[in-house]
Amino acid sequence: MATVAILALQGAFAEHGRALDRLGADHFEIRQRSDLGKPFDALIIPGGESTVIGKLLMDLGLLSPLRDRIVKGLPVFGTCAGLIVLSKRVIGGTPSLATMDITARRNAYGRQLGSFHTEDRFGDLDKLPMTFIRAPCIDSVGDGVEVLSRVDGRIVAARQGRQLATAFHPELTDDLTVHRYFLEEIAGLRV
Amino acid sequence: MEKSRYELNKELAQMLKGGVIMDVTTPEQARIAEEAGAAAVMALERIPADIRAAGGVSRMSDPKMIKGIQDAVSIPVMAKCRIGHFVEAQILEALEIDYIDESEVLTPADDVYHIDKTQFKVPFVCGARDLGEALRRVSEGASMIRTKGEPGTGDVVQAVHHMRVMNSEIRKVQNMRADELYEEAKQLQVPVELVRYVHENGRLPVVNFAAGGVATPADAALMMQLGAEGVFVGSGIFRSGNPAKRAKAIVQAVTNYTDAKLLAEVSADLGQAMVGINAEEIKTIMAERGQ
C-alpha cells in the first residue's frame, strides 16, 4: 500500500488528503521534523502562501532533510505555492527547496480579482478543470523539464524526473486526473 | 463548467487556512508581518486597541495607506469597511484589495442592513458570534467567516465563547432529523439550503477563522484546538514588546497547535504581551455591532 506525506505547515493540505482518500491512497501530515520518521513513498506540497511555507520549512528544520530526499528521488508534487517552493528561481520571491529547474513567477495573474477557472489540456490527456488562485506561472524551464500544460501561452504545469508542479489546484476540483498521474506515472505507485 | 467568482473567493480563504492574518498600520509593520510568516495582512490605520482608546467614529483607512501596504508585501492584503457601508467596499474593490472585512471594529454605517456582498467581485470576510450570524453573512455573500471575539482587548474569552457556541450549534444541526431543518432555518433566519449544508457536512459552507482577543501563541493554539481553521491577530502583535518574535511564535503555534512541547518552546522569552483590558471592563462592546 502506498503512503503519501502531505506537507501541512499552512494552506489547503486537507483538500489533497480528500483527493487521496478518493483514490484509496494512505496519507499523513508532516508538520515537524519528527514526522519524517514515518515511512512514505511520495510527498505533496499544497497551495497556501509560499512565503509562509518556505519560512516554516526553515524554522522547523524540515528544509534540508526534505531537499535531500527529493534530490535522491522522492516523488514530489507541488501545487501553486508548492510549485514556488520547488522552483530553483523565483521572480518576486525567494527559492526554498529549489530542487526543480524552473523559474516561477509569483502572483503572475495579479491579485484576487485576477483569479480564474478554466479548462485545458494536461500532457497527452484530455482537458481538465483548472483553478488558479492568486497563482504563479512558470516563466522558463531548464533542460530535462517536460512542459505538461500551457494556458494562454503560459506554462502552468511541468515535470522533471520524479517532480511534478502545477500552478493550478487539482485538489479544489472533483477531477482526480492529476493526482492519479502523480501517483501512477511519476511515483510508480498503484492506486 | 464556469466556476463562479464566489467559488474562487471561497477558495482563496481555503489557501489561507492554517495561517495567521495580522493587523498592520504601516508598510514597515507589513514587512515585519510577512517576514514573520503572516499568511495575509489586514491594512488599517489604527489597531483595534487604539480605536478603543481614541473613541469617536472609526472609518475605512486612507486608500494611500492601503496602497502603501499593497506595494510593500507580496502576500494577500485585506482591509476593513464599516458594516453596511457599501461605498467604502466599492472603494476597496477599486483598490483591488484581496479581501474586504465588513467589520464591527469600525463604527457601523448602517444599523439595519449589512452590505449585499453578492454585488462585489472581491471576497468578504465577516464576524459572527453564533451559527445564525455566520449563515446570515454567508447568505449575503460572505466567503469567509471569523469569530467576532472582542477586538482590541487582548482578552480571548469572547472568541472562545463564540467558537464554542458556533460549533455546538453546528453539532446540533448535524444531528437533527431532515424534517426539522425548516424550523431551524426559521429560527436562525437563514435559507434552509445553508442549514442543510451544515446538516450534511458538519461545518460552515466557508472557512472559519478565530479573531478578537488573541494575544499569545497559547491563545492561537487554543482557538485552533477549538476548531478554528486559522487565526486573525489584531492588536496582539504590534502592541507587544517584541512584535517580530511574537508574530513568528504565533505562526508556529498555529501550525503545530497540538504539540505542547513546541508551544512551550515558542512561548518562551517573547517579552511583554499586550497588556490588554478585561473584556468585562469595557464600555463599547464591538461584538454587538451588526447582528
PDB file of all heavy atoms in Angstrom, chain A residues 34-52:
ATOM      1  N   SER A  34       9.896  15.468  13.505  1.00  0.00           N
ATOM      2  CA  SER A  34       9.679  14.104  13.991  1.00  0.00           C
ATOM      3  C   SER A  34       8.741  13.316  13.064  1.00  0.00           C
ATOM      4  O   SER A  34       8.788  12.082  13.042  1.00  0.00           O
ATOM      5  CB  SER A  34       9.116  14.140  15.417  1.00  0.00           C
ATOM      6  OG  SER A  34       7.900  14.855  15.423  1.00  0.00           O
ATOM      7  N   ASP A  35       7.902  14.043  12.286  1.00  0.00           N
ATOM      8  CA  ASP A  35       7.004  13.352  11.356  1.00  0.00           C
ATOM      9  C   ASP A  35       7.766  12.654  10.229  1.00  0.00           C
ATOM     10  O   ASP A  35       7.227  11.764   9.569  1.00  0.00           O
ATOM     11  CB  ASP A  35       5.992  14.346  10.743  1.00  0.00           C
ATOM     12  CG  ASP A  35       5.068  14.931  11.802  1.00  0.00           C
ATOM     13  OD1 ASP A  35       4.750  14.218  12.769  1.00  0.00           O
ATOM     14  OD2 ASP A  35       4.670  16.106  11.652  1.00  0.00           O
ATOM     15  N   LEU A  36       9.026  13.076   9.992  1.00  0.00           N
ATOM     16  CA  LEU A  36       9.803  12.485   8.899  1.00  0.00           C
ATOM     17  C   LEU A  36      10.250  11.073   9.241  1.00  0.00           C
ATOM     18  O   LEU A  36      10.734  10.336   8.380  1.00  0.00           O
ATOM     19  CB  LEU A  36      11.041  13.354   8.590  1.00  0.00           C
ATOM     20  CG  LEU A  36      10.757  14.764   8.073  1.00  0.00           C
ATOM     21  CD1 LEU A  36      12.064  15.518   7.870  1.00  0.00           C
ATOM     22  CD2 LEU A  36       9.990  14.702   6.763  1.00  0.00           C
ATOM     23  N   GLY A  37      10.089  10.669  10.511  1.00  0.00           N
ATOM     24  CA  GLY A  37      10.467   9.321  10.921  1.00  0.00           C
ATOM     25  C   GLY A  37       9.542   8.251  10.364  1.00  0.00           C
ATOM     26  O   GLY A  37       9.921   7.087  10.240  1.00  0.00           O
ATOM     27  N   LYS A  38       8.325   8.647  10.017  1.00  0.00           N
ATOM     28  CA  LYS A  38       7.396   7.657   9.461  1.00  0.00           C
ATOM     29  C   LYS A  38       7.747   7.409   7.990  1.00  0.00           C
ATOM     30  O   LYS A  38       8.142   8.327   7.288  1.00  0.00           O
ATOM     31  CB  LYS A  38       5.950   8.186   9.552  1.00  0.00           C
ATOM     32  CG  LYS A  38       5.524   8.531  10.964  1.00  0.00           C
ATOM     33  CD  LYS A  38       4.189   9.298  10.938  1.00  0.00           C
ATOM     34  CE  LYS A  38       3.995  10.079  12.232  1.00  0.00           C
ATOM     35  NZ  LYS A  38       2.953  11.114  12.115  1.00  0.00           N
ATOM     36  N   PRO A  39       7.562   6.161   7.519  1.00  0.00           N
ATOM     37  CA  PRO A  39       7.887   5.886   6.112  1.00  0.00           C
ATOM     38  C   PRO A  39       6.837   6.471   5.156  1.00  0.00           C
ATOM     39  O   PRO A  39       5.650   6.446   5.458  1.00  0.00           O
ATOM     40  CB  PRO A  39       7.871   4.347   6.046  1.00  0.00           C
ATOM     41  CG  PRO A  39       7.059   3.902   7.201  1.00  0.00           C
ATOM     42  CD  PRO A  39       7.114   4.970   8.247  1.00  0.00           C
ATOM     43  N   PHE A  40       7.311   7.020   4.030  1.00  0.00           N
ATOM     44  CA  PHE A  40       6.382   7.473   2.987  1.00  0.00           C
ATOM     45  C   PHE A  40       7.026   7.356   1.614  1.00  0.00           C
ATOM     46  O   PHE A  40       8.241   7.391   1.480  1.00  0.00           O
ATOM     47  CB  PHE A  40       5.866   8.897   3.256  1.00  0.00           C
ATOM     48  CG  PHE A  40       6.923   9.954   3.417  1.00  0.00           C
ATOM     49  CD1 PHE A  40       7.268  10.773   2.342  1.00  0.00           C
ATOM     50  CD2 PHE A  40       7.554  10.160   4.635  1.00  0.00           C
ATOM     51  CE1 PHE A  40       8.224  11.777   2.486  1.00  0.00           C
ATOM     52  CE2 PHE A  40       8.528  11.159   4.776  1.00  0.00           C
ATOM     53  CZ  PHE A  40       8.863  11.960   3.708  1.00  0.00           C
ATOM     54  N   ASP A  41       6.157   7.187   0.594  1.00  0.00           N
ATOM     55  CA  ASP A  41       6.623   6.902  -0.764  1.00  0.00           C
ATOM     56  C   ASP A  41       6.592   8.122  -1.672  1.00  0.00           C
ATOM     57  O   ASP A  41       7.155   8.106  -2.760  1.00  0.00           O
ATOM     58  CB  ASP A  41       5.729   5.822  -1.394  1.00  0.00           C
ATOM     59  CG  ASP A  41       5.635   4.596  -0.498  1.00  0.00           C
ATOM     60  OD1 ASP A  41       6.679   3.975  -0.261  1.00  0.00           O
ATOM     61  OD2 ASP A  41       4.526   4.296  -0.014  1.00  0.00           O
ATOM     62  N   ALA A  42       5.864   9.154  -1.260  1.00  0.00           N
ATOM     63  CA  ALA A  42       5.723  10.348  -2.095  1.00  0.00           C
ATOM     64  C   ALA A  42       5.312  11.515  -1.210  1.00  0.00           C
ATOM     65  O   ALA A  42       4.831  11.318  -0.089  1.00  0.00           O
ATOM     66  CB  ALA A  42       4.683  10.117  -3.187  1.00  0.00           C
ATOM     67  N   LEU A  43       5.543  12.726  -1.722  1.00  0.00           N
ATOM     68  CA  LEU A  43       5.261  13.935  -0.936  1.00  0.00           C
ATOM     69  C   LEU A  43       4.420  14.903  -1.758  1.00  0.00           C
ATOM     70  O   LEU A  43       4.654  15.076  -2.957  1.00  0.00           O
ATOM     71  CB  LEU A  43       6.593  14.604  -0.556  1.00  0.00           C
ATOM     72  CG  LEU A  43       6.534  15.977   0.118  1.00  0.00           C
ATOM     73  CD1 LEU A  43       5.980  15.854   1.534  1.00  0.00           C
ATOM     74  CD2 LEU A  43       7.929  16.624   0.159  1.00  0.00           C
ATOM     75  N   ILE A  44       3.435  15.528  -1.101  1.00  0.00           N
ATOM     76  CA  ILE A  44       2.662  16.592  -1.760  1.00  0.00           C
ATOM     77  C   ILE A  44       2.887  17.898  -1.001  1.00  0.00           C
ATOM     78  O   ILE A  44       2.811  17.931   0.238  1.00  0.00           O
ATOM     79  CB  ILE A  44       1.155  16.255  -1.811  1.00  0.00           C
ATOM     80  CG1 ILE A  44       0.909  15.098  -2.795  1.00  0.00           C
ATOM     81  CG2 ILE A  44       0.323  17.482  -2.220  1.00  0.00           C
ATOM     82  CD1 ILE A  44      -0.551  14.682  -2.936  1.00  0.00           C
ATOM     83  N   ILE A  45       3.194  18.964  -1.738  1.00  0.00           N
ATOM     84  CA  ILE A  45       3.321  20.302  -1.143  1.00  0.00           C
ATOM     85  C   ILE A  45       2.122  21.120  -1.637  1.00  0.00           C
ATOM     86  O   ILE A  45       1.983  21.349  -2.843  1.00  0.00           O
ATOM     87  CB  ILE A  45       4.647  20.975  -1.538  1.00  0.00           C
ATOM     88  CG1 ILE A  45       5.816  20.046  -1.173  1.00  0.00           C
ATOM     89  CG2 ILE A  45       4.805  22.329  -0.842  1.00  0.00           C
ATOM     90  CD1 ILE A  45       7.169  20.558  -1.620  1.00  0.00           C
ATOM     91  N   PRO A  46       1.245  21.529  -0.719  1.00  0.00           N
ATOM     92  CA  PRO A  46      -0.046  22.099  -1.128  1.00  0.00           C
ATOM     93  C   PRO A  46       0.039  23.579  -1.498  1.00  0.00           C
ATOM     94  O   PRO A  46       1.105  24.206  -1.387  1.00  0.00           O
ATOM     95  CB  PRO A  46      -0.888  21.938   0.140  1.00  0.00           C
ATOM     96  CG  PRO A  46       0.108  22.136   1.241  1.00  0.00           C
ATOM     97  CD  PRO A  46       1.400  21.512   0.740  1.00  0.00           C
ATOM     98  N   GLY A  47      -1.122  24.114  -1.869  1.00  0.00           N
ATOM     99  CA  GLY A  47      -1.246  25.551  -2.052  1.00  0.00           C
ATOM    100  C   GLY A  47      -1.370  26.236  -0.703  1.00  0.00           C
ATOM    101  O   GLY A  47      -1.687  25.604   0.310  1.00  0.00           O
ATOM    102  N   GLY A  48      -1.132  27.521  -0.689  1.00  0.00           N
ATOM    103  CA  GLY A  48      -1.142  28.307   0.534  1.00  0.00           C
ATOM    104  C   GLY A  48      -0.326  29.544   0.232  1.00  0.00           C
ATOM    105  O   GLY A  48      -0.304  30.002  -0.913  1.00  0.00           O
ATOM    106  N   GLU A  49       0.353  30.089   1.207  1.00  0.00           N
ATOM    107  CA  GLU A  49       1.265  31.201   0.933  1.00  0.00           C
ATOM    108  C   GLU A  49       2.691  30.664   0.920  1.00  0.00           C
ATOM    109  O   GLU A  49       3.165  30.139   1.920  1.00  0.00           O
ATOM    110  CB  GLU A  49       1.108  32.304   1.980  1.00  0.00           C
ATOM    111  CG  GLU A  49      -0.009  33.284   1.658  1.00  0.00           C
ATOM    112  CD  GLU A  49       0.122  33.899   0.265  1.00  0.00           C
ATOM    113  OE1 GLU A  49       1.229  34.366  -0.099  1.00  0.00           O
ATOM    114  OE2 GLU A  49      -0.874  33.881  -0.482  1.00  0.00           O
ATOM    115  N   SER A  50       3.359  30.816  -0.226  1.00  0.00           N
ATOM    116  CA  SER A  50       4.700  30.233  -0.361  1.00  0.00           C
ATOM    117  C   SER A  50       5.678  30.852   0.633  1.00  0.00           C
ATOM    118  O   SER A  50       6.594  30.182   1.108  1.00  0.00           O
ATOM    119  CB  SER A  50       5.207  30.412  -1.794  1.00  0.00           C
ATOM    120  OG  SER A  50       5.275  31.781  -2.126  1.00  0.00           O
ATOM    121  N   THR A  51       5.485  32.129   0.965  1.00  0.00           N
ATOM    122  CA  THR A  51       6.387  32.772   1.935  1.00  0.00           C
ATOM    123  C   THR A  51       6.265  32.087   3.296  1.00  0.00           C
ATOM    124  O   THR A  51       7.257  31.893   3.992  1.00  0.00           O
ATOM    125  CB  THR A  51       6.041  34.267   2.121  1.00  0.00           C
ATOM    126  OG1 THR A  51       4.637  34.378   2.402  1.00  0.00           O
ATOM    127  CG2 THR A  51       6.358  35.069   0.883  1.00  0.00           C
ATOM    128  N   VAL A  52       5.033  31.717   3.668  1.00  0.00           N
ATOM    129  CA  VAL A  52       4.795  31.089   4.967  1.00  0.00           C
ATOM    130  C   VAL A  52       5.364  29.673   4.976  1.00  0.00           C
ATOM    131  O   VAL A  52       6.071  29.267   5.913  1.00  0.00           O
ATOM    132  CB  VAL A  52       3.286  31.043   5.288  1.00  0.00           C
ATOM    133  CG1 VAL A  52       3.051  30.421   6.661  1.00  0.00           C
ATOM    134  CG2 VAL A  52       2.673  32.429   5.215  1.00  0.00           C
TER     135      VAL A  52
END
